[in-house]
Amino acid sequence: MAAAGERTLDFAAACDRAGVVVRPFAGEGVRVTIGETEANDIFLKVAEGFPRTFSRRLKDF
């Protein structure tokens, strides 16, 4: 699970706009299952473009 805290729903919406489906758990984070390299790259770009605190937490996984 990617931790996004209170911004979970915002992050899930950003992923949706980019064409990547995630399962948000409000206040905690999102669950993402990706099979294609292209979708993985898109998810990582969304995460990198999100507030810095989220990007740092994502790299801890």
Side-chain angles (χ1 to χ4, degrees):
M1 181 178 292
E6 63 187 42
R7 305 274 327 268
T8 295
L9 298 179
D10 294 333
F11 181 72
C15 287
D16 186 54
R17 285 190 300 272
V20 176
V21 177
V22 298
R23 183 174 178 196
F25 293 89
E28 295 183 29
V30 298
R31 178 178 176 190
V32 59
T33 304
I34 297 175
E36 305 97 17
T37 302
E38 181 182 0
N40 187 59
D41 292 343
I42 292 169
F43 174 79
L44 291 175
K45 282 184 181 183
V46 172
E48 288 172 357
F50 219 66
R52 208 58 160 144
T53 55
F54 180 74
S55 295
R56 270 189 257 128
R57 281 191 232 159
L58 182 64
K59 292 177 183 175
D60 292 338
F61 285 92

